[in-house]
Amino acid sequence: MSPRALALALGAAIALLHASPALAASPRPLTLAQALSSALAANPRLTVAERDIGMAGGRSVQAAVLPNPNLSLEVDNAFGSGSYQGLDLAEQTLQVSQLVELGGKREARIAAASAGVGVARWEREALRLQVLAETTAAFVTVLSAQSRLEILKAQFSAIERWTPLLQNRVEAGASSPAEISRAKVAANLAKVELERTKMALVTARRELALLMGLKEAKFGAVTGNLVRVNAPPSLDRILKSVQENPQLTRFTALKAQRSAELTGARAQAVPDVTLGVGYRHYNETADSGMIFTMSVPLPVFDRNQGGIIEAHESLRRAEAEEAVVRSVLISQVGRAYDSLKSSYDEVALLRGGGLPDARSAFEGIESGYSEGRYTLLELLDAQSSLTETSLRELDALVSYHTALATLEGLTGRPVTFAKGKSK
């Protein structure tokens, strides 16, 4: 194939690439605030948590209900033999009895159920923070995929600008025809990366839509400031906020619930009293009278020993679980903080020298290439260095904002940065 034909083929490939259908975007872009609002309103996990609160509320109502009284009717000396045939000598007794709970059983039951409502509410709050952190991270992923797409498109635009220059140089004998093939290879490799990024963007948009409670990603392009970063505060300052994480504060309610259950288990050892009052009629004499009853189980064998042990161990388990969760949270905060700080340092380093130097080198070589002072290989290498550095900065920005969202989800509050230390 002639050099001119190769150059035309390269130009056609680039034209077809730019003519490929772009992602359909809604005229109304999606902001982070809108994404978070939609996620909180429609996320199915939060709906489940709300139902858990309702269930706990139902148990709280039921715990305060008194036992129902019993109504009984008893007929004695009836339908027997001899003089006890029929109902002439029968005795009828109508009685109402009521169980009276002693030892504070009802109070302990109410306290445990009320604390259970608190546990469900704290669990819902912890889940809310988790959904916010996940949605923010998904939003950052979509935003970064859009930025990555723009960087790769700029790379293709540069190759498109070089096509007529390359063709002229080959025709003038200033460059080898092999350079056209080399440029075509570079364009094809970049095309593969661009298509991969497009699919990654589609996947990221779908994941964000699911977190927002949508079946499809019908929103437009997401908008946000991904490039702004701030110097992280000290780790000790962030760790102090961990104590307010709902995953830890829920243990206050959980331990209160377990303590109330232990009180209730001990109260089970106290026998309850059943009181009764009734009316008895004697058919033989047509007389009648009142009866009064009281029954109390004797705690000879069953004093709820096993139940007390179980409730006590359940309380101790809650205390141990609190220590485990606190340790895990501190570890997660430490890892997220390290990622935040290292990403900030990387962005500062790239912006302080790496990225400006790569951009300056590329612009100089591109300008010199049109004058015949540089080869295509040098131009492609400079472009590759600029693209790689730009993507490296983008990856660091994504890591920074993802770590920031994780920290805010773990602490339950926005991270406060020092003034005047933004990049």
Side-chain angles (χ1 to χ4, degrees):
M1 183 179 292
S2 66
R4 183 179 182 83
L6 285 174
L8 291 175
L10 175 59
I14 295 174
L16 289 174
L17 176 64
H18 283 285
S20 60
L23 178 67
S26 170
R28 299 180 59 184
L30 178 69
T31 64
L32 178 59
Q34 292 171 338
L36 295 178
S37 177
S38 178
L40 291 178
N43 192 282
R45 288 183 294 171
L46 291 176
T47 303
V48 172
E50 290 290 350
R51 301 292 78 77
D52 287 340
I53 295 175
M55 292 165 59
R59 288 191 290 269
S60 180
V61 171
Q62 186 61 33
V65 175
L66 293 171
N68 288 325
N70 291 323
L71 176 65
S72 62
L73 174 64
E74 181 180 344
V75 179
D76 297 328
N77 303 328
F79 305 110
S81 59
S83 58
Y84 292 100
Q85 294 180 0
L87 297 173
D88 293 340
L89 300 180
E91 300 175 5
Q92 297 91 28
T93 303
L94 182 65
Q95 180 177 333
V96 177
S97 59
Q98 176 66 52
L99 176 69
V100 180
E101 295 179 297
L102 302 178
K105 295 183 183 68
R106 181 170 178 266
E107 290 77 7
R109 189 169 62 246
I110 293 174
S114 178
V117 175
V119 172
R121 287 176 177 169
W122 281 118
E123 289 178 345
R124 195 264 184 198
E125 179 62 18
L127 183 58
R128 187 184 73 87
L129 292 177
Q130 182 181 351
V131 169
L132 289 176
E134 291 176 354
T135 304
T136 301
F139 186 91
V140 169
T141 301
V142 175
L143 193 58
S144 68
Q146 293 178 176
S147 299
R148 183 178 294 270
L149 201 59
E150 292 303 316
I151 293 174
L152 295 176
K153 284 182 178 179
Q155 184 182 25
F156 274 107
S157 297
I159 298 177
E160 189 177 37
R161 291 197 307 269
W162 304 337
T163 302
L165 296 177
L166 178 58
Q167 180 181 342
N168 292 336
R169 291 187 58 170
V170 170
E171 291 177 350
S175 296
S176 169
E179 290 192 352
I180 295 181
S181 298
R182 184 175 295 167
K184 187 174 182 181
V185 170
N188 288 334
L189 291 176
K191 178 180 179 181
V192 171
E193 188 63 28
L194 183 59
E195 293 300 324
R196 181 183 301 171
T197 302
K198 288 181 179 180
M199 290 307 302
L201 177 58
V202 171
T203 301
R205 286 172 58 84
R206 182 170 58 247
E207 294 296 328
L208 177 59
L210 290 175
L211 288 172
M212 294 169 56
L214 304 175
K215 294 182 180 180
E216 298 179 7
K218 296 183 178 180
F219 49 85
V222 303
T223 59
N225 187 357
L226 192 63
V227 299
R228 181 180 177 84
V229 295
N230 296 276
S234 65
L235 178 59
D236 292 337
R237 182 176 176 182
I238 295 179
L239 286 176
K240 291 180 181 179
S241 303
V242 175
Q243 304 303 321
E244 300 178 11
N245 185 291
Q247 296 184 48
L248 281 178
T249 53
R250 65 180 284 271
F251 280 99
T252 301
L254 181 61
K255 289 188 290 185
Q257 183 185 32
R258 297 291 184 263
S259 180
E261 291 174 351
L262 177 58
T263 301
R266 289 170 175 165
Q268 290 298 324
V270 179
D272 294 330
V273 176
T274 301
L275 301 178
V277 60
Y279 173 82
R280 177 170 292 175
H281 179 75
Y282 300 89
N283 288 354
E284 181 180 9
T285 61
D287 294 327
S288 61
M290 300 293 296
I291 62 169
F292 300 92
T293 62
M294 182 182 72
S295 63
V296 180
L298 300 178
V300 177
F301 305 108
D302 182 5
R303 294 186 296 276
N304 199 36
Q305 301 95 320
I308 294 174
I309 294 175
E310 180 185 3
H312 185 264
E313 291 300 320
S314 179
L315 175 59
R316 295 180 61 184
R317 177 179 177 177
E319 295 170 349
E321 288 177 344
E322 181 181 16
V324 171
V325 171
R326 179 178 287 106
S327 178
V328 170
L329 283 176
I330 291 175
S331 176
Q332 291 176 338
V333 167
R335 289 197 300 269
Y337 179 83
D338 292 342
S339 177
L340 182 73
K341 190 174 185 307
S342 62
S343 299
Y344 174 82
D345 293 340
E346 184 176 357
V347 170
L349 182 62
L350 289 172
R351 292 179 177 178
L355 192 57
D357 291 345
R359 184 176 292 109
S360 176
F362 170 70
E363 291 174 352
I365 293 177
E366 185 182 29
S367 176
Y369 177 76
S370 62
E371 300 172 0
R373 292 188 287 112
Y374 297 100
T375 65
L376 177 65
L377 182 61
E378 291 173 311
L379 181 60
L380 290 175
D381 182 65
Q383 184 201 43
S384 177
S385 297
L386 176 59
T387 302
E388 182 179 352
T389 306
S390 300
L391 293 177
R392 184 71 176 267
E393 181 202 26
L394 179 61
D395 291 339
L397 289 171
V398 172
S399 179
Y400 176 90
H401 288 286
T402 301
L404 179 61
T406 301
L407 282 176
E408 293 181 345
L410 292 173
T411 59
R413 60 173 58 186
V415 174
T416 303
F417 297 97
K419 295 182 178 180
K421 293 185 178 181
S422 62
K423 291 289 183 180

